[in-house]
Amino acid sequence: MVWTVENLGVTRGGMPVLTGVGFSLAPGQALILRGPNGVGKTTLLRTLAGLQPALGGSSSIDPGDVAYAGHSDGVKATLTVSENLRFWADVYGTSLTEDVMVAMRLVALADRPGGSLSAGQKRRLGLARLLLTGRKVWMLDEPTVSLDAASVGLFAAMIAEHLAKGGAALLATHIDLGIKADLLDLTPYKARAA
């Protein structure tokens, strides 16, 4: 299945931010959204993930197929790392396996409370939950914030494996992840002031 977005418009605070956005996303494909700060990358991702209504246009991306990872890591401070992941596995009706912990180097942190983790460790934990979703399309907003170079490499490998299994990824990032991806500059879609 190829997902398509046609003539999509999105708003932030009731004001048009992007208009006429169009692209397609196929299984095994990553698409990186680019543009200056404030152009509307986050707003577009939130709209496509079903978290806010579109101004117009259409998208064949079913929000039920989407796993969205925004700026918040979604880490429960009082739960341990493994308890956090078990919580997300229960939410998605999947099971926590050790390979999820290994993928983002969390095995040694399994019994640590989420609130005691560094910012980078929390980000790795938040990203690891993507592996528990069973969702086809990952929408990721600045996913590498707080990650060191080694962790960015782990994350890139996780994305590559998701794509190899027929998943797709739509990412807003300014970091070169070293994965094969198409680029979409959102600057031409910026809404004009009325």
Side-chain angles (χ1 to χ4, degrees):
M1 152 172 234
V2 175
W3 298 278
T4 58
V5 172
E6 295 177 339
N7 201 31
L8 195 71
V10 300
T11 62
R12 181 174 48 240
M15 300 295 294
V17 177
L18 297 171
T19 59
V21 177
F23 62 87
S24 62
L25 186 65
Q29 180 185 7
L31 180 63
I32 295 178
L33 303 175
R34 290 281 165 85
N37 292 337
V39 78
K41 297 180 295 291
T42 296
T43 304
L44 177 61
L45 287 173
R46 289 181 50 78
T47 301
L48 291 171
L51 300 175
Q52 62 188 55
L55 177 63
S58 65
S59 169
S60 69
I61 302 172
D62 179 350
D65 288 338
V66 172
Y68 174 77
H71 296 143
S72 172
D73 296 317
V75 173
K76 312 278 185 223
T78 58
L79 299 181
T80 66
V81 167
S82 59
E83 289 168 341
N84 266 281
L85 290 171
R86 273 196 288 283
F87 169 82
W88 287 108
D90 288 347
V91 165
Y92 289 106
T94 60
S95 38
L96 175 59
T97 57
E98 187 172 351
D99 61 327
V100 172
M101 303 270 285
V102 169
M104 289 306 285
R105 248 183 25 212
L106 297 169
V107 174
L109 302 172
D111 296 325
R112 293 239 337 244
S116 73
L117 301 175
S118 72
Q121 291 167 333
K122 285 178 185 174
R123 177 58 72 165
R124 290 194 338 251
L125 175 55
L127 292 171
R129 78 171 182 242
L130 292 167
L131 297 170
L132 299 169
T133 66
R135 303 291 173 91
K136 298 174 189 172
V137 181
W138 290 357
M139 293 191 184
L140 311 169
D141 193 4
E142 299 293 348
T144 58
V145 170
S146 301
L147 294 183
D148 59 25
S151 296
V152 169
L154 292 172
F155 171 68
M158 194 173 92
I159 291 284
E161 184 174 338
H162 177 65
L163 298 176
K165 291 179 178 178
L170 185 61
L171 304 95
T173 183
H174 297 283
I175 304 297
D176 180 5
L177 297 173
I179 61 172
K180 184 179 182 229
D182 296 316
L183 299 177
L184 176 62
D185 183 358
L186 294 178
T187 306
Y189 302 103
K190 186 174 178 175
R192 303 213 189 303

